[in-house]
Amino acid sequence: MSSEWTGDETVASLGEAETLSRILPLMPAARDTLLGPGDDAALVSAPDGRFVVTTDLMVEGPDFRRAWSEPHDLGWKAAASNLSDVAAMGARPTALVVALAAPTSTPIAVLEGIARGLSDGCAAMAPGAGVVGGDLSTAPVLMIAVTAFGDLGGRAAVTRSGARAGDVVAVSGVLGDSGRGLDLLFRLAVDHEGEPDARLGSELRGRDAGVRWHLAPTPPVGDGVRAAEAGATAMLDLSDGLALDATRLARASGVVIALDSSSLGDDPHAALSGGEDHSLLATFPSGTPLPGGFRPIGTVVPREHGAQEHAHPVTLDGIPLAQVPGWDPYAWSPEAR
Amino acid sequence: MSSEWTGDETVASLGEAETLSRILPLMPAARDTLLGPGDDAALVSAPDGRFVVTTDLMVEGPDFRRAWSEPHDLGWKAAASNLSDVAAMGARPTALVVALAAPTSTPIAVLEGIARGLSDGCAAMAPGAGVVGGDLSTAPVLMIAVTAFGDLGGRAAVTRSGARAGDVVAVSGVLGDSGRGLDLLFRLAVDHEGEPDARLGSELRGRDAGVRWHLAPTPPVGDGVRAAEAGATAMLDLSDGLALDATRLARASGVVIALDSSSLGDDPHAALSGGEDHSLLATFPSGTPLPGGFRPIGTVVPREHGAQEHAHPVTLDGIPLAQVPGWDPYAWSPEAR
């Protein structure tokens, strides 16, 4: 556990105004801001008369453990998961707002670390995007709710429903790394009672790229606009595992997605079932030169005439995936384990 | 406590997909939605090439108690506090996104009640505004983070910094009612150990308009656009009490706000110190016919030559408010009481 979690100067000892004055200067500035933090609301440019919006919540316990995550990781990951959703529409991220609830005993250094993580994450994944507003409250556990915005530059949004038979299925980013990292943490970085252990987590992080990806992923945000410009017919962010997310895309498009196991790396099961990679899954018309980091992993084929709408619409080497492993925050919460 | 808090059918027993399928149809539709819930992100119209955005967090404990609030209240109040911030910029609310974290034991009826409250609140305060997206997670307490958007219709945003000497200071909405309601709840609707009591709270709610306003306020959202169209020079939402919020407006504008106690009702202290009214405080050029529900409560006067920037810039009947009572979520949290 990083020493930031144990400082003496807490949000309660500083109060809201001083807390804000400490963290606001650390937040990334947004290029498209017309009016930033400090009023009842912010004003953001939407050059083509529309804006893309997504929201994603991270809660201590189900979504992260303070023994394993540093504050900087939390800000970075909150940025990553939201920026990736904006990218998956084919949009350029422009701005974020951040609502944060923390126990009153939380050291100010934790909030400063989160702010720096948001800033560094935006700079690395979506230069020019920044934080235009936020809210603070108290809670028994740390919670970060980010809402992110994007600009389509006059293009149509790339939804989940546009895949057509004959399209190439492609992915940009890792497959299964985040899930493998989380599995490793739960197997190797816990104490005798199964509770997350900070020292073991820190050691594991130094040795394993999957653990690092799980704690602070760097999804290929810029590939969202590249895919849209290259003519992607459908796209989504891989947050719940390839099997479940490909099923969503296939159902929304009324097609079958035929995956090729040889393109899924050494561990196709992990690639199919691991959540939180935040890679981009997209379909492109056959013959399209794949942009950025996209690589082919399968093809789109027609749904058989008479096939039920709820038949399993994803195949692996021609065999229907009979059961779709995926991630359900309620079914998988620590309380339910 | 409403019976919705104690149902057998919980979010854990239903899982995320079924929970979403139950609450999404109850959410209000937004007229300006180009693409609604169901994809990685939503797409909202921003007719004049800009959008107003604000975010506000409600956490069980510091922000509400389940003994006193019904689920419908929580959705309604989450809508009210955000719509009011949009209105305070002079904008018409268009859309909201909702991030919700709940204990896995939460009955689905609670989430359905929150969704209906959001829907009814939007219909009452900002017809045409609706929910375009959201996220679900689990947490030890219930938490609702709403982000709301608005359209300025080509006008400049009405900020806090435009008040000029000679302007009339006016308010639309109640003054101090919410704070009086909260005080009553803490004095009269608690058990022998000081814990919130559902039956006493329900009785008190039936008898007292301030309690009802605190639990489910109906701020004058439409008066935001009316004030902007009438030429308001500055405006903000009264969320932390008139004294503190008037101080913010005065400091941002570099002026002094001279309040007249005879216009603050029977209990000027409550009007000055009570938070969460979500009324609109605005300044208008002298002689402007006040629009909607606005009524005069004072005037803007110049800051004395040589006065320190941090001198108290709000006076009551000519006497500087030496100490600004207000509401700080950290200083006032239950842990700190």
Side-chain angles (χ1 to χ4, degrees), chain A residues 16 42 44 46 49 51 53 57 135 329, chain B residues 16 42 44 46 49 51 53 57 135 329:
Chain A
E16 184 183 26
V44 180
F51 64 96
V53 53
L57 191 57
D135 192 25
Chain B
E16 183 182 28
V44 180
F51 64 96
V53 53
L57 192 56
D135 192 24

Side-chain angles (χ1 to χ4, degrees), chain A residues 307-327:
Chain A
Q308 302 210 349
E309 201 185 329
H310 290 286
H312 298 293
V314 177
T315 65
L316 186 66
D317 303 335
I319 301 163
L321 286 182
Q323 200 190 353
V324 178
W327 190 82

Side-chain angles (χ1 to χ4, degrees), chain B residues 110 132 170 230 245 269 292 297 301 312-313 317:
Chain B
V110 169
V132 297
D245 286 324
H269 178 76
I297 59 168
V301 299
H312 299 292
D317 303 335

Side-chain angles (χ1 to χ4, degrees), chain A residues 44-131:
Chain A
V44 180
S45 175
D48 76 358
R50 305 167 300 166
F51 64 96
V52 161
V53 53
T54 183
T55 190
D56 200 69
L57 191 57
M58 281 172 53
V59 182
E60 182 178 356
D63 297 317
F64 66 88
R65 308 300 183 95
R66 63 175 71 190
W68 293 334
S69 290
E70 294 177 9
H72 190 276
D73 296 335
L74 302 180
W76 181 288
K77 188 167 181 171
S81 60
N82 280 280
L83 295 172
S84 178
D85 277 329
V86 170
M89 306 304 286
R92 172 182 63 86
T94 54
L96 304 87
V97 295
V98 182
L100 201 146
T104 50
S105 60
T106 305
I108 183 71
V110 169
L111 272 56
E112 290 170 337
I114 291 170
R116 287 193 187 96
L118 279 163
S119 189
D120 293 343
C122 285
M125 292 176 272
V131 172

Side-chain angles (χ1 to χ4, degrees), chain B residues 17-108:
Chain B
E18 176 67 14
T19 297
L20 277 175
S21 78
R22 294 277 284 268
I23 62 177
L24 274 178
L26 305 176
M27 292 284 185
R31 198 189 292 150
D32 290 329
T33 312
L34 302 171
L35 180 69
D39 218 297
D40 294 283
L43 187 61
V44 180
S45 176
D48 77 357
R50 306 167 297 167
F51 64 96
V52 160
V53 53
T54 182
T55 192
D56 200 70
L57 192 56
M58 281 172 55
V59 181
E60 182 179 354
D63 298 317
F64 65 89
R65 308 301 182 96
R66 62 174 72 191
W68 293 334
S69 290
E70 294 178 11
H72 190 277
D73 296 333
L74 302 180
W76 181 288
K77 188 166 181 170
S81 60
N82 279 280
L83 295 171
S84 177
D85 277 329
V86 170
M89 305 304 286
R92 173 182 62 85
T94 54
L96 304 87
V97 294
V98 182
L100 200 147
T104 52
S105 60
T106 305
I108 182 72

